[in-house]
Amino acid sequence: MDIYLPIAEVAVNAPLIVALGALVGFISGMFGIGGGFLMTPLLVFFGVPAPVAVGSMANHVAASSMSSVIAYSRRRAVDLRMGAVLATGGVIGAYAGVEIFRLLRLLGQADLVVSVSYLVFLSVIGGLMLTESLGAILRRRRGEPQPPHRDRRPVWLYGLPLKMRFPRSRLYISVIPPLLLGAFVGMLSAIMGVGGGFILVPAMVYLLRMPAGMVVGTSLLQIIITTALTGVLQAGRNQTVDIVLATLLLVGGVMGAQLGARASARFRAEELRAILALIVLLVGLRMGLGLFFRPEEPFILMSGMGG
Amino acid sequence: MADLPLPPHVAEAPPAAEAPQVRAPEAPKPIISAALTDANIQVKSNFRGARIVLYGAVFDAAARPSDVVVLVRGPEQPVRITRKIQVAGLWINSRPVVFRGAPGFYRAASNRPLADIANFGTLRRLGAGIDHLTFAAPAEQRVETRYGVRDVVVNQLGADYYDWKSAVVRLKEAAGLYREDEHGVRFVDRGLFRAEIALPAGAPTGVYRADIILFQNGKPVAQRTRTLTVQKVGAERALYVLAHDRPWSYGLASMAFALAVGWAASAAFRRD
């Protein structure tokens, strides 16, 4: 059953897209990430033009994060204050990102920046996560004690001005690192069509030293606010949001996300991190590989913006 | 198409100067006539098989062997194209090049291969066949004075210009927008023919022009032109128009809808 996407101007197989949404939703709910880093490349692979995939993903990520954040907030696992600080940065970053993406499209280099961003960010994050989580798994298998939880937080977190209390996370740190982190993730969200959870979650754990229980719910809150803004900006500035595509993905995505959130309770945290790290790494390498091989068809028609 | 060699009504009123070229003065000049079954084609977004159907007849008292070519052109669209180039080991997009004058849709339907109907020069003059489309990249060309010679046209793409141009045609062909159909015109009865042209999903909207040309002995001897309008209708079209005319309202509404779906889903799956 093919369905025509009005903005992407291509016909896609509807059940396939719904299944894709469910699969990514499952992963998203399981790991507490938006899943955009996985969905955007898959959509491009199935023939959706990259700018439309990036633009529409914002809607999909916002909706699926919305459905999971409510579950987390019921468990009181959301630090609203930290979420607000991150989101403030995210709003600035998203605005900058949409403008940068617009410029890149005009220059014809959007593909390159998207591929390179995927290659660099996903490989680095995936590699780091994999090393860390495999180490933790091995230590547990061998019965070695986990390294003592380093409660010494980096000096720069304390040396910076504008300190703020985050009672839920039991933190008293400067707002500058979370603001910058939020801005950076917001920009990536606009350029890569991702929520940014794959960067946000590790950064909150390892840099901000937030308690693990608070990280996922809080990152989802930041992602909702940032992607909601990105989605509106992408539609307003670039006309690349396809609501039919986003809705199809949502139908599968919300169901998958709920199932994923329940499934996550059955795994240990480090096992979840290891699986996620592998997925992240594979997607990053796959997206980046195209840069190194001679393309079969060297010429590419650029959709839209024909003038 | 001001450069067509024959004005549309040449068949009815042949200029006296051309009369000797048409072999026998005793036989009246052949006439071609054609009509579209529907001059206003509404393409539904979820359509399968929107098509242009055209009937026509060749009136020729001498019954000379006739070939019919139907050229359908969609509205002109600028084409932006880029080429992957290797820079420091990485394959990246080059500077985009904009071609102008290329039709958004092109079909050359005929009753047998175009190359058998007329020679290269004739086909080129008529723009019959995807190899004979005329379009150019005006931004890449400039007129300058070189070595004291004025008005030299310099193309910045240099020798690659032909590669770029043929890539436009190749990619449009791959998208189903350009095609030659050597069996697209069928004679259903003596002198009576039918042409059927399928429109792909990506066919642009707007005014299309169909040139129906009668060839005899390798020469175009009569021609008719018909115009038709292709419109997209339906909910998807309405969304497209809304997204482009009122992008901010569309964006806000889409996001509100997405968030509401997320909220509703979490309420629906709530276990307690």
Side-chain angles (χ1 to χ4, degrees):
Chain A
M1 194 189 104
D2 280 3
I3 191 161
Y4 182 77
L5 304 177
I7 309 299
E9 298 184 78
V10 291
V12 292
N13 184 285
L16 179 76
I17 296 290
V18 171
L20 211 61
L23 173 75
V24 176
F26 184 81
I27 293 171
S28 143
M30 190 149 165
F31 302 111
I33 53 173
F37 77 92
L38 189 54
M39 183 67 95
T40 306
L42 283 173
L43 286 178
V44 173
F45 180 75
F46 283 109
V48 176
V52 177
V54 168
S56 311
M57 275 315 298
N59 279 46
H60 172 254
V61 170
S64 63
S65 307
M66 186 78 178
S67 79
S68 351
V69 81
I70 293 168
Y72 283 98
S73 76
R74 264 188 227 117
R75 281 189 246 149
R76 303 183 64 76
V78 179
D79 184 338
L80 284 178
R81 185 176 278 195
M82 180 61 90
V85 172
L86 286 169
T88 309
V91 165
I92 300 163
Y95 182 77
V98 171
E99 291 303 315
I100 292 172
F101 195 61
R102 187 178 167 76
L103 188 70
L104 288 172
R105 277 187 73 198
L106 284 169
L107 291 174
Q109 295 303 347
D111 307 6
L112 172 70
V113 175
V114 169
S115 304
V116 169
S117 309
Y118 269 89
L119 182 64
V120 171
F121 292 118
L122 295 192
S123 312
V124 169
I125 298 282
L128 288 177
M129 276 174 71
L130 194 63
T131 320
E132 182 275 334
S133 52
L134 284 182
I137 291 172
L138 281 179
R139 276 193 298 276
R140 190 166 45 72
R141 289 263 166 87
R142 293 189 195 133
E144 291 169 17
Q146 296 290 344
H149 190 70
R150 285 171 300 167
D151 217 28
R152 276 183 295 121
R153 285 159 183 151
V155 181
W156 53 271
L157 268 180
Y158 283 84
L160 292 169
L162 297 171
K163 282 194 178 182
M164 195 173 186
R165 272 181 209 290
F166 298 98
R168 275 267 173 97
S169 306
R170 298 189 303 280
L171 283 178
Y172 180 55
I173 57 167
S174 162
V175 295
I176 293 173
L179 269 182
L180 285 180
L181 179 61
F184 179 63
V185 170
M187 204 166 79
L188 286 189
S189 131
I191 293 175
M192 295 169 67
V194 297
F198 70 93
I199 286 183
L200 202 49
V201 169
M204 286 161 85
V205 173
Y206 299 115
L207 294 181
L208 302 184
R209 310 275 167 165
M210 280 179 69
M214 284 290 159
V215 166
V216 170
T218 309
S219 79
L220 283 172
L221 183 67
Q222 130 81 1
I223 287 168
I224 290 176
I225 295 171
T226 310
T227 50
L229 180 77
T230 308
V232 174
L233 286 175
Q234 293 281 26
R237 288 292 275 162
N238 296 335
Q239 285 95 50
T240 51
V241 174
D242 196 311
I243 189 64
V244 176
L245 175 63
T247 306
L248 284 176
L249 294 174
L250 271 182
V251 171
V254 289
M255 287 186 280
Q258 296 294 328
L259 295 175
R262 277 169 218 185
S264 75
R266 299 197 194 126
F267 291 90
R268 288 174 202 275
E270 60 265 30
E271 287 171 358
L272 280 181
R273 282 207 301 278
I275 302 169
L276 179 60
L278 268 181
I279 300 175
V280 167
L281 203 56
L282 284 176
V283 173
L285 291 178
R286 178 66 194 84
M287 280 295 278
L289 273 184
L291 288 171
F292 298 99
F293 290 106
R294 176 181 292 274
E296 258 174 56
E297 169 61 72
F299 290 94
I300 299 161
L301 285 184
M302 309 182 79
S303 57
M305 304 175 86
Chain B
M1 287 298 293
D3 55 340
L4 275 175
L6 296 174
H9 300 292
V10 70
E12 287 92 329
E18 277 194 21
Q21 292 174 6
V22 181
R23 285 171 292 172
E26 66 273 14
K29 212 167 171 206
I31 295 170
I32 191 165
S33 76
L36 295 156
T37 53
D38 193 354
N40 188 11
I41 295 173
Q42 298 202 324
V43 176
K44 291 196 181 63
S45 304
N46 55 346
F47 71 101
R48 290 201 165 281
R51 54 190 67 239
I52 302 168
V53 181
L54 184 143
Y55 280 97
V58 177
F59 302 102
D60 182 9
R64 286 162 289 213
S66 298
D67 291 304
V68 173
V69 174
V70 177
L71 304 178
V72 177
R73 280 170 237 254
E76 191 225 306
Q77 283 179 330
V79 178
R80 203 158 165 259
I81 183 170
T82 179
R83 179 187 210 165
K84 290 274 181 203
I85 48 170
Q86 201 169 19
V87 175
L90 297 181
W91 288 92
I92 68 168
N93 290 351
S94 70
R95 184 175 57 91
V97 170
V98 178
F99 280 90
R100 293 188 186 276
F105 176 86
Y106 181 84
R107 280 287 184 284
S110 48
N111 58 319
R112 58 187 176 122
L114 286 169
D116 299 349
I117 294 176
N119 64 27
F120 185 90
T122 308
L123 294 174
R124 166 102 351 156
R125 265 192 304 123
L126 292 167
I130 53 178
D131 296 334
H132 301 298
L133 287 167
T134 50
F135 54 89
E140 304 301 322
Q141 291 171 343
R142 61 180 191 277
V143 177
E144 59 181 42
T145 301
R146 278 198 175 178
Y147 311 115
V149 182
R150 296 167 73 187
D151 300 339
V152 177
V153 176
V154 179
N155 196 307
Q156 293 175 39
L157 297 174
D160 284 350
Y161 182 67
Y162 181 76
D163 287 348
W164 284 86
K165 219 181 140 175
S166 58
V168 171
V169 170
R170 186 167 67 240
L171 291 171
K172 288 269 189 187
E173 228 181 325
L177 292 171
Y178 287 8
R179 204 159 83 204
E180 277 177 27
D181 185 356
E182 58 186 47
H183 302 295
V185 175
R186 279 174 197 281
F187 279 93
V188 287
D189 198 358
R190 199 182 138 79
L192 185 66
F193 64 89
R194 180 178 194 271
E196 203 175 289
I197 284 144
L199 284 174
T205 55
V207 177
Y208 282 53
R209 175 192 163 112
D211 290 305
I212 304 100
I213 308 167
L214 172 65
F215 284 84
Q216 286 184 344
N217 197 23
K219 301 236 171 343
V221 292
Q223 182 184 356
R224 282 288 178 149
T225 299
R226 294 285 175 260
T227 56
L228 64 144
T229 314
V230 173
Q231 285 179 310
K232 286 187 182 165
V233 294
E236 288 92 339
R237 181 63 189 170
L239 275 176
Y240 178 89
V241 170
L242 178 69
H244 284 82
D245 289 354
R246 312 194 58 176
W248 295 101
S249 319
Y250 170 82
L252 283 171
S254 313
M255 188 49 72
F257 172 73
L259 291 176
V261 171
W263 185 285
S266 96
F269 283 92
R270 191 172 179 169
R271 279 182 292 180
D272 45 32

